[in-house]
Amino acid sequence: SDPSGNYGALSYYNEYKSYLRKCTIAMARRYDSRTTTFSPEGRLYQVEYAMEAVGHAATCLGILANDGVVLAVERRNIANSLLDESFGLEKIYRLGQDAACSVAGITSDANVLTYQLRLIAQRYEFKYQESIPVEQLVRNVCDLKQRYTQTGGLRPFGVSLLYMGWDARYGFQLYQSDPSGNYGGWKATCIGNNHSSAVSLLKQEYKEEGVNLKEALHLAVKVLSKTLDINKLTAEKIEVVTLTRSNDRTVIKVLNSDETNKLIAEYETEAKKQEEEKKAGSSKS
């Protein structure tokens, strides 16, 4: 037998595999080059790529309480001594008297969307002399986001948003929207980096009967401390905002460093206490 025969067959097989791989890549590129083209599996790759960009962004967490809403976000670039803090990059935007949002993804895209959100809210208030219902505000901007997935020459917005607000009909509300234009109401959710582990922890910790604002703040700190890729949680690394009602007015408050450090200290004390009780229980058994 020809000793080179097996080698020739193997070489042909490898060339054939390489050819198939190139064909697969070429087929994928046929469907991800345009936003408006579906793949044979019914997927819009550009929308999925936008969602992937959101998955690598800073973490944003939202929790709906019985007496308010909490948004907690991860702050990045804090270690850069050259950054001008007076011109700090916003992660939480006030949209009107009764609503605010946090963003995860491409900040420049977020600036465009928050401008549209504020414009929609102001036009409604100018026309009807009252604040726009929260879901109507979310739906309007999501219609814009969906249009960018269906129009040639445009690309999806590479950003997801968490919205918190209050209106007379539904009270306190928390919504999430993604680059496809899809949105939904949530009791607690998370977007950005490590969002899946954060949502899993929220499912375990969030009570069915709901939580009050103080419990929501402690839960937000607990989830961030366990999911962020940092050694120790500090006030410089997170920003916490609450939305409540007082004297028939909506109050949106950004917690200062002292208030945030107090929350973190309370969580660490409670965590240490639980750890000691767990060790004591295991030593007795």
Side-chain angles (χ1 to χ4, degrees):
S1 61
D2 183 7
S4 64
N6 290 335
Y7 175 78
L10 182 62
S11 176
Y12 174 79
Y13 175 70
N14 288 333
E15 289 179 4
Y16 181 67
K17 281 178 64 180
S18 177
Y19 170 75
L20 287 179
R21 186 161 52 248
K22 290 178 181 178
C23 287
T24 303
I25 294 172
M27 287 289 287
R29 286 176 178 169
R30 284 176 58 188
Y31 298 108
D32 70 0
S33 61
R34 296 183 181 180
T35 306
T36 56
T37 304
F38 281 96
S39 73
E41 297 85 17
R43 298 162 63 182
L44 289 172
Y45 285 108
Q46 288 292 329
V47 175
E48 293 183 14
Y49 296 158
M51 292 181 178
E52 188 67 22
V54 172
H56 294 290
T59 305
C60 296
L61 177 74
I63 300 176
L64 180 65
N66 296 328
D67 52 348
V69 192
V70 173
L71 287 181
V73 301
E74 176 188 6
R75 297 177 63 189
R76 292 183 175 177
N77 299 323
I78 58 172
N80 193 338
S81 60
L82 300 178
L83 187 66
D84 184 0
E85 294 185 359
S86 64
F87 190 68
L89 297 176
E90 288 185 88
K91 292 294 293 181
I92 297 177
Y93 301 79
R94 183 165 188 149
L95 305 177
Q97 293 183 5
D98 298 314
C101 73
S102 64
V103 300
I106 302 173
T107 306
S108 55
D109 287 7
N111 290 336
V112 174
L113 289 176
T114 52
Y115 173 79
Q116 289 297 322
L117 283 161
R118 288 167 173 169
L119 195 61
I120 293 166
Q122 290 299 313
R123 283 174 173 169
Y124 186 96
E125 187 171 351
F126 178 77
K127 186 174 182 179
Y128 298 106
Q129 299 300 306
E130 64 180 18
S131 296
I132 186 171
V134 183
E135 186 178 1
Q136 185 174 337
L137 178 63
V138 175
R139 185 173 63 248
N140 281 335
V141 80
C142 285
D143 288 344
L144 172 66
K145 293 171 78 173
Q146 191 277 334
R147 201 178 311 135
Y148 271 66
T149 70
Q150 201 173 5
T151 306
L154 304 177
R155 68 159 175 82
F157 290 97
V159 62
S160 287
L161 293 92
L162 292 182
Y163 313 81
M164 65 175 179
W166 179 93
D167 60 47
R169 184 173 184 184
Y170 293 113
F172 297 108
Q173 296 156 74
L174 174 68
Y175 294 94
Q176 174 190 339
S177 71
D178 59 41
S180 69
N182 187 35
Y183 76 92
W186 293 80
K187 295 179 180 177
T189 189
C190 182
I191 55 177
N193 192 33
N194 295 328
H195 66 277
S196 56
S197 56
V199 170
S200 177
L201 188 56
L202 286 169
K203 287 180 180 178
Q204 298 174 19
E205 300 288 340
Y206 192 88
K207 302 175 184 177
E208 288 188 13
E209 65 274 13
V211 296
N212 58 41
L213 190 66
K214 186 175 181 180
E215 291 171 332
L217 286 167
H218 287 151
L219 179 56
V221 170
K222 180 177 182 179
V223 172
L224 289 178
S225 66
K226 291 189 175 182
T227 55
L228 295 186
D229 297 326
I230 54 178
N231 295 325
K232 181 176 174 58
L233 196 66
T234 63
E236 290 75 28
K237 296 176 182 177
I238 63 171
E239 186 172 4
V240 183
V241 179
T242 62
L243 183 147
T244 56
R245 293 283 291 177
S246 177
N247 299 323
D248 293 328
R249 293 177 63 88
T250 300
V251 179
I252 299 174
K253 179 184 178 183
V254 180
L255 271 62
N256 59 38
S257 297
D258 292 338
E259 291 171 320
T260 305
N261 279 325
K262 183 180 178 182
L263 283 174
I264 295 171
E266 289 175 354
Y267 160 71
E268 291 175 346
T269 302
E270 184 65 25
K272 186 176 180 181
K273 182 180 179 182
Q274 290 179 358
E275 185 68 23
E276 290 175 351
E277 290 176 352
K278 187 177 180 181
K279 287 182 180 179
S282 59
S283 60
K284 288 180 181 179
S285 59

